[in-house]
Amino acid sequence: MRCCHADFALAEGSDRGFTVGMPTFTFGAGVLAEAGDNARDLGMRRVALFTDRRLAAGEHVAKVRSSLSAAGVDVAVYDAVKIEPDDASFQDAARFAADGRFDGYVSVGGGSVMDTCKVANLYAEHPAEFMAYVNAPIGEGRRVPGPVKPHVACPTTSGTGSETTGIAIFTLRSINAKTGIISRRLIPSVALVDPDVTRSLPATAVAATGFDCMSHALESITARVFPRRLNPAKGVLRPVSQGANPFSDMLATEALKLVGAFLERAVRDASDTEARTEMMYAAMLAGIAFNAAGCHLPHGLSYAVSGLTKDWHVPGYPEGASLVPHGMAVVLNNPSVWRHTAPASPERHLHCAQCLGADVRDARPADAGEALASRVIAMMRATGMPNGLTALGFDESHVDALATGAEPQYRVIRNAPVDIGRDELKRLFRSALRYW
C-alpha cells in the first residue's frame, strides 16, 4: 500500500484534520498488580470493581483487588455483568453505580465487562433517560455533557480492544439488535493490558475475540477515508470514529501482521506464550485504530446476526441462553463484505490480505476481494469457525429480516467505502450463508 497520505485527497468542504483518543496504557506480563497504584494516582478512594460472575472468584480479580487494597482503596464489587449485555443489564449496572457514589471505577473482564463499566460510569455521573446517549437514529445520540469518573480497564480477553475505546455496545431488546453509545469521554483513563490473563482462555474465546481484533483492523484500513466521511463536523464535534487516517492505518497494519502470524497458534496451544502475548498486543493496537477510524459493514451486519440467532451455544461461554460470541458474528460476514468492497480500494484490500499472510505478488486489482476473502476463510477453517450463517440456523428465508436488523446501524454502515442500501445488505447476507 502506498504512503497512506496519498489516499487522503481532500474533497470540497472536507475535514482537514483527524483526532486520536486513547488511554494511558501499560502493556506487559504482571501489570494487573499495578491497578492500586494507578487508582490512587487518579485520586480514587472508593471504587466500583466491575466483573462477571465467572471471573469474580478467579485469580485476575483477586490480583486486582489485592493491589487496590494495598493502595488503601476501598472496593465494592459488581459481578452481575451480562456477557453480551443488553439495555436492561446496562441500566441495572447504572443504578448500582449511582447508588454507590463512587469516585472511580475498575473493570476486570472482556468487552462486555468494560463496556458495562463505561455506561454505568456515564449514567451515574450524567443521569438521563436511557436512550438519550444511544447512537442515533436508534437513540437520541446526545453528546456526553462533561467528564466522567476515572476508569482503570483491565482486559482479560485478546480481541475486543474495549480498554482503548470510547464505545460501549449492547443489545436493544425492543429491536432485537445491537447498537451502542460512543463518546471520547468514555475512553478509560488507564488500560492495564496483561498478557498473562490469556493463559486461562479457552480456544473458542481466543478464536472469537481474535477475529474481532482482526476485523477491527481490516475495517479500520478499508473504511471510508476521513476527508470523505459523511459527517464532516470538526473540532470538538468531530466524531470519535472518523474514517481511515494515517494513524489508524499504521496501527491496524501492525495488528494484522500479528494476527496473521499468531492467531492460529494462539488457538491451537494455550501454552504458546509468545502467540497469546502477541494477540493481546494486536488487540490493543487494533482497538486504538478502530476507535479513531471506525468499523463498518462486518460489524454493522453482525449486530443483526447476534440479535436474530435463536439457538446457538459455544463451549467456553455461559451456558443456558443462546449466545453468538461477538467476534464470531463479525467474522461470519467478513468474506462476503470484502468481495463487495474491494473495487472501491483494491490496493488497501490487497495490503490487508498480504498482512494476514496471503501471497499477493501476482494479484491484480480485480483479485483483491477474493484474495482477502480467501485468506480469512482459510483462517476461519483453521480455527473451527462455523461455515457461514447457515451453521447458525439462517437460510434464504431469513435474509430479509437480517437486512431489516442491519439497516438502523447507520453509524457503522455509512463508514463503509461504498454506499450501501437495503438491496446490498440482502446480497451481503445471502453471500455469507455458506463459504465452503
Side-chain angles (χ1 to χ4, degrees):
M1 189 169 70
R2 295 172 297 167
C3 173
C4 53
H5 293 276
D7 294 321
F8 301 132
L10 292 173
E12 184 70 26
S14 67
D15 193 357
R16 295 173 180 267
F18 60 91
T19 301
V20 177
M22 68 178 81
T24 297
F25 63 83
T26 300
F27 182 95
V31 300
L32 286 188
E34 299 176 13
D37 286 347
N38 279 278
R40 185 172 54 194
D41 187 61
L42 289 166
M44 300 184 194
R45 296 178 299 278
R46 172 173 163 75
V47 305
L49 192 158
F50 278 67
T51 190
D52 63 55
R53 289 197 172 96
R54 293 197 308 159
L55 289 170
E59 62 175 312
H60 309 319
V61 170
K63 181 179 288 188
V64 171
R65 291 191 69 175
S66 175
S67 178
L68 291 167
S69 177
V73 179
D74 184 40
V75 179
V77 175
Y78 184 82
D79 64 1
V81 169
K82 181 178 181 180
I83 304 304
E84 304 297 342
D86 57 28
D87 50 313
S89 69
F90 269 7
Q91 290 177 83
D92 288 343
R95 282 189 287 271
F96 171 84
D99 292 344
R101 299 183 179 278
F102 302 105
D103 55 21
Y105 295 82
V106 176
S107 56
V108 184
S112 296
V113 170
M114 292 182 282
D115 287 3
T116 300
C117 187
K118 293 172 190 176
V119 170
N121 187 359
L122 166 61
Y123 284 92
E125 192 68 14
H126 302 290
E129 292 295 321
F130 182 73
M131 296 302 291
Y133 300 120
V134 175
N135 295 330
I138 295 172
E140 293 180 36
R142 188 184 304 177
R143 291 187 69 223
V144 175
V148 295
K149 292 290 196 297
H151 173 192
V152 177
C154 306
T156 61
T157 60
S158 50
T160 72
S162 181
E163 70 275 9
T164 67
T165 78
I167 302 167
I169 300 298
F170 68 98
T171 297
L172 184 61
R173 295 168 300 159
S174 62
I175 62 171
N176 204 27
K178 288 194 174 187
T179 183
I181 299 170
I182 180 168
S183 170
R184 287 190 187 86
R185 304 281 195 185
L186 300 187
I187 297 174
S189 315
V190 169
L192 300 178
V193 187
D194 187 341
D196 282 351
V197 302
T198 63
R199 290 184 310 215
S200 59
L201 286 176
T204 50
V206 175
T209 58
F211 279 120
D212 192 24
C213 164
M214 180 198 74
S215 202
H216 288 155
L218 289 174
E219 292 172 65
S220 295
I221 291 175
T222 59
R224 191 175 297 245
V225 295
F226 77 91
R228 300 180 183 276
R229 69 170 183 269
L230 300 182
N231 175 4
K234 303 175 184 178
V236 297
L237 298 179
R238 183 176 287 120
V240 175
S241 299
Q242 303 142 75
N245 59 76
F247 191 84
S248 60
D249 278 358
M250 174 181 65
L251 295 187
T253 290
E254 182 62 22
L256 285 181
K257 291 177 180 177
L258 294 172
V259 171
F262 294 108
L263 175 57
E264 293 174 32
R265 281 175 49 183
V267 172
R268 284 196 304 266
D269 185 1
S271 67
D272 190 336
T273 301
E274 180 188 26
R276 292 205 167 189
T277 296
E278 296 299 345
M279 283 304 302
M280 197 76 173
Y281 189 61
M284 183 184 72
L285 296 181
I288 299 168
F290 93 84
N291 189 63
C295 292
H296 59 88
L297 285 166
H299 273 74
L301 272 59
S302 79
Y303 298 153
V305 171
S306 297
L308 294 173
T309 301
K310 300 301 183 186
D311 187 22
W312 185 255
H313 307 273
V314 178
Y317 283 83
E319 298 177 2
S322 176
L323 184 151
V324 184
H326 171 63
M328 182 180 290
V330 168
V331 79
L332 291 181
N333 295 291
N334 258 249
S336 173
V337 167
W338 306 133
R339 288 167 172 154
H340 182 78
T341 58
S345 52
E347 187 178 21
R348 284 176 169 264
H349 287 68
L350 285 172
H351 170 72
C352 290
Q354 183 177 41
C355 288
L356 287 174
D359 184 354
V360 299
R361 285 173 295 181
D362 297 322
R364 301 164 301 168
D367 302 325
E370 191 56 42
L372 181 52
S374 295
R375 177 57 184 143
V376 172
I377 289 170
M379 295 173 70
M380 291 170 64
R381 299 186 74 168
T383 54
M385 285 290 107
N387 182 9
L389 300 180
T390 53
L392 275 60
F394 294 102
D395 58 32
E396 177 67 29
S397 69
H398 300 102
V399 166
D400 198 62
L402 286 165
T404 298
E407 275 186 304
Q409 307 298 335
Y410 296 146
R411 181 184 67 83
V412 287
I413 288 174
R414 294 175 71 188
N415 200 37
V418 295
D419 293 334
I420 297 291
R422 183 178 180 83
D423 288 344
E424 288 81 12
L425 289 173
K426 291 168 71 173
R427 283 199 293 271
L428 290 170
F429 281 122
R430 192 173 289 115
S431 298
L433 289 173
R434 190 176 184 88
Y435 291 120
W436 61 85

